[in-house]
Amino acid sequence: MRVAVIALLLSLSFWNVGYTQDITENDSTESILSLDDLYEIVMVYHPVAQQIALLSEQGQMQVRLGKGYSDPKLYSKYDQKVFKTKDYYTKWNTYAKIPVWAASINVGYERNDGINLNPENDTNSGKGLMYIGLELPVLKGLLMDERRAMLRKGYAMQQMTEADQIKQINKLILQVAKDYWTWYFAYHQYRLAEEGYDLAIFRKEAVDERVRQGDLANIDGTEALITIQDREINLKLSKLELQKAKLVLSNHLWNEEGKPLELLDNILPEELGVEVLPTLETLLSEASMKHPDIVKVQTKGTILSVDQRLAKEAVKPELNLKYNYLGTTPIGGWEYGLDENYKFGASFSMPIFLRKERAKLQMTKLKIQDNDLKLIMTKRKVENNIKKAFLAVQNYVELTDMQSEMSQNYEILLQGETEKFDAGESSVFYMNVREGKLLEAQTKLFKMKAEYAKSVAELNWTTGLSPTL
């Protein structure tokens, strides 16, 4: 609901066949678009945010893919031979294979018949046999097999996908924050330029009146006119910068129908104050646990450890046991004990040199070592980036305080110069200089505030958190 209300404050534009239709009327009442409100719009309607949201579903599919390796399977095989109108045999075997941990349970029904049927394939004289059995790897595959490995890797891939999702969201939010504070500075720069232009016009009218009265020379009127011209140029340039900043910020504004939104002239940025930030130790601690780059490398290590366990299993000899208990009727149940009707088998295999298996195991160990080194470098890089961003924030806090104090001092000088001018002890030139310095200092103060806000967003991004104040 809140997002919908915010959207009503914006101008909706349909971009279709080269024309734009504005369907929202301008409202003379000024409204504040806070950064948090903008985040809500972006996270709900922005196409990139919606693309990023798809990563969650991809992660779920990774887990489903891993679980799919443990799905029961239904098999059926039919084999018939007829030669020279003679029916040799008909063989039909249908069974379900149900994976359980390392083993698998087989439940099926087999029915074979024919005059030339091999006696070992006899199924109670063609009446059919039911069977239930177990296949179990005793050596290779007992502790780890591809089925269990894929499931564990599926969960790890989901975690990696979530980390990638957080990284992309933070990247988008960081760009939104930077564009927002660029708009914030452009708005205040234009406001101060407009204020300076209005003051120049007001002073020109006062100077002209005093020139007519003989209190000032004509050269003072020329001085006032030059100031108007200079500030008018500055006003036009500031207006251009504001329009460009609004267009850049509008790239992040969309509605629920996927239509782009534009900022109205009566939409203003929020005011900014210096916020209390967490300590550097707190930020480093949170980043070591939550930073997407670190999480992704750690998750890759989990996947490689699964591959290593699977490679270790491949070095073992393969010994598989198979036992099926046979029942003489498909419906009537089991007529004999386990030691009377059954099929039992065992298979053994082992490569003589194990070159392929040992090579895969060694390659996995090398990949793990490489990933461990990458994790060390990633942690170091993240830690240094946080320290660098934290220093930038601290520096902008000090610069903003100094610039604020400087603006106040320029305001005192302008007030004193005004009193001297009214008393006839100063000139238009000095008044313009004092006034221009004050406007320049105030503009620089808003620039410092915007850079401070951007540095905070950058700091939060380096920790892997959402760059919000």
Side-chain angles (χ1 to χ4, degrees):
M1 179 63 71
R2 182 183 178 186
V3 174
V5 172
I6 296 171
L8 290 177
L9 300 175
L10 306 174
S11 172
L12 176 63
S13 302
F14 291 103
W15 297 89
N16 189 16
V17 200
Y19 72 91
T20 303
Q21 179 183 5
D22 189 354
I23 65 172
T24 303
E25 297 182 357
N26 255 326
D27 187 355
S28 59
T29 304
E30 293 181 347
S31 301
I32 302 297
L33 177 63
S34 69
L35 185 57
D36 289 337
D37 292 337
L38 181 58
Y39 284 155
E40 289 190 31
I41 296 175
V42 169
M43 294 310 299
V44 175
Y45 300 134
H46 199 292
V48 175
Q50 295 178 1
Q51 286 180 319
I52 296 173
L54 297 177
L55 292 175
S56 295
E57 188 173 352
Q58 293 182 17
Q60 296 173 4
M61 293 305 103
Q62 291 288 348
V63 175
R64 179 178 293 184
L65 178 63
K67 291 181 177 179
Y69 283 82
S70 299
D71 287 345
K73 291 184 178 180
L74 184 64
Y75 300 85
S76 184
K77 183 178 180 181
Y78 181 82
D79 194 11
Q80 182 181 31
K81 180 179 179 180
V82 177
F83 184 68
K84 293 182 180 181
T85 68
K86 185 176 181 181
D87 190 357
Y88 279 73
Y89 59 82
T90 299
K91 296 188 291 185
W92 177 41
N93 185 18
T94 299
Y95 66 97
K97 191 171 185 178
I98 307 171
V100 288
W101 191 59
S104 62
I105 298 175
N106 298 328
V107 179
Y109 173 71
E110 184 177 3
R111 182 172 180 176
N112 305 323
D113 194 11
I115 59 176
N116 289 94
L117 184 68
N118 192 322
E120 72 175 64
N121 294 325
D122 179 60
T123 55
N124 196 21
S125 303
K127 297 178 181 179
L129 289 175
M130 288 189 68
Y131 60 89
I132 180 171
L134 180 69
E135 293 185 29
L136 177 66
V138 179
L139 298 176
K140 177 182 177 181
L142 180 62
L143 300 180
M144 177 62 68
D145 56 11
E146 183 180 3
R147 174 164 49 85
R148 284 171 286 172
M150 290 304 298
L151 180 58
R152 296 187 183 185
K153 291 168 69 172
Y155 282 112
M157 288 296 295
Q158 183 185 29
Q159 187 177 5
M160 184 178 292
T161 302
E162 291 173 352
D164 191 53
Q165 181 185 30
I166 293 174
K167 182 177 180 179
Q168 294 189 38
I169 288 176
N170 285 346
K171 182 180 179 180
L172 173 62
I173 293 299
L174 174 63
Q175 188 61 51
V176 171
K178 288 184 175 181
D179 293 340
Y180 180 89
W181 296 119
T182 298
W183 170 54
Y184 165 87
F185 168 67
Y187 164 75
H188 286 287
Q189 179 180 241
Y190 172 75
R191 182 181 60 81
L192 290 172
E194 189 176 37
E195 180 181 340
Y197 177 70
D198 293 338
L199 288 173
I201 293 178
F202 175 77
R203 180 163 294 109
K204 178 65 167 61
E205 294 174 352
V207 168
D208 289 343
E209 180 63 26
R210 294 181 65 176
V211 169
R212 284 192 296 269
Q213 294 176 1
D215 292 341
L216 296 174
N218 290 332
I219 193 65
D220 290 322
T222 303
E223 179 72 29
L225 178 61
I226 292 176
T227 302
I228 291 178
Q229 293 171 337
D230 179 66
R231 293 184 182 178
E232 184 178 8
I233 293 174
N234 185 49
L235 177 62
K236 291 182 179 296
L237 291 175
S238 299
K239 185 176 181 179
L240 176 61
E241 291 299 318
L242 176 59
Q243 291 173 337
K244 290 165 59 177
K246 290 173 64 176
L247 288 174
V248 171
L249 187 62
S250 296
N251 290 333
H252 307 297
L253 300 175
W254 304 80
N255 69 352
E256 65 274 12
E257 297 177 355
K259 304 298 182 180
L261 299 174
E262 291 182 354
L263 287 172
L264 291 173
D265 292 336
N266 64 326
I267 304 297
L268 308 181
E270 64 178 326
E271 289 302 321
L272 172 66
V274 177
E275 300 289 332
V276 178
L277 298 175
T279 63
L280 178 60
E281 291 73 18
T282 300
L283 295 175
L284 292 174
S285 176
E286 291 184 357
S288 64
M289 296 182 294
K290 300 179 182 178
H291 196 284
D293 289 342
I294 295 178
V295 172
K296 289 177 67 175
V297 178
Q298 290 175 335
T299 306
K300 184 178 180 181
T302 301
I303 295 175
L304 290 174
S305 66
V306 173
D307 290 337
Q308 185 182 39
R309 290 192 61 184
L310 198 60
K312 289 180 178 179
E313 288 293 310
V315 178
K316 299 177 181 179
E318 185 174 357
L319 175 60
N320 297 327
L321 304 180
K322 182 177 181 180
Y323 173 86
N324 284 338
Y325 171 55
L326 306 177
T328 56
T329 59
I331 300 178
W334 314 102
E335 296 185 355
Y336 301 96
L338 295 176
D339 58 344
E340 296 180 359
N341 290 333
Y342 66 89
K343 291 173 65 177
F344 175 78
S347 61
F348 177 83
S349 65
M350 179 180 177
I352 297 177
F353 299 111
L354 292 173
R355 286 181 292 190
K356 181 178 70 174
E357 290 76 10
R358 287 187 287 112
K360 286 184 177 181
L361 179 58
Q362 186 61 28
M363 288 173 62
T364 305
K365 291 181 179 179
L366 293 175
K367 289 180 180 180
I368 290 177
Q369 293 177 3
D370 179 74
N371 192 74
D372 291 341
L373 294 173
K374 184 177 180 180
L375 179 60
I376 294 174
M377 291 300 300
T378 302
K379 288 183 176 180
R380 180 66 173 171
K381 182 179 179 181
V382 169
E383 179 180 340
N384 286 337
N385 287 338
I386 293 174
K387 291 180 179 178
K388 181 176 67 175
F390 192 82
L391 289 174
V393 173
Q394 288 182 321
N395 187 54
Y396 276 117
V397 169
E398 296 177 1
L399 291 176
T400 302
D401 291 339
M402 294 172 61
Q403 189 64 36
S404 178
E405 184 178 352
M406 186 184 299
S407 298
Q408 294 173 6
N409 291 332
Y410 274 122
E411 192 171 355
I412 294 173
L413 289 177
L414 176 60
Q415 184 178 358
E417 198 68 40
T418 302
E419 293 175 357
K420 291 171 62 177
F421 180 79
D422 293 339
E425 299 177 359
S426 182
S427 65
V428 175
F429 173 77
Y430 285 112
M431 282 295 298
N432 290 335
V433 169
R434 297 298 189 195
E435 195 174 77
K437 287 293 184 180
L438 175 59
L439 293 172
E440 181 182 343
Q442 290 176 335
T443 302
K444 194 172 182 180
L445 175 60
F446 283 107
K447 179 68 173 178
M448 290 293 180
K449 288 183 177 181
E451 292 301 322
Y452 161 76
K454 291 180 182 180
S455 66
V456 172
E458 189 82 26
L459 174 61
N460 288 329
W461 178 74
T462 58
T463 62
L465 307 176
S466 297
T468 56
L469 292 176

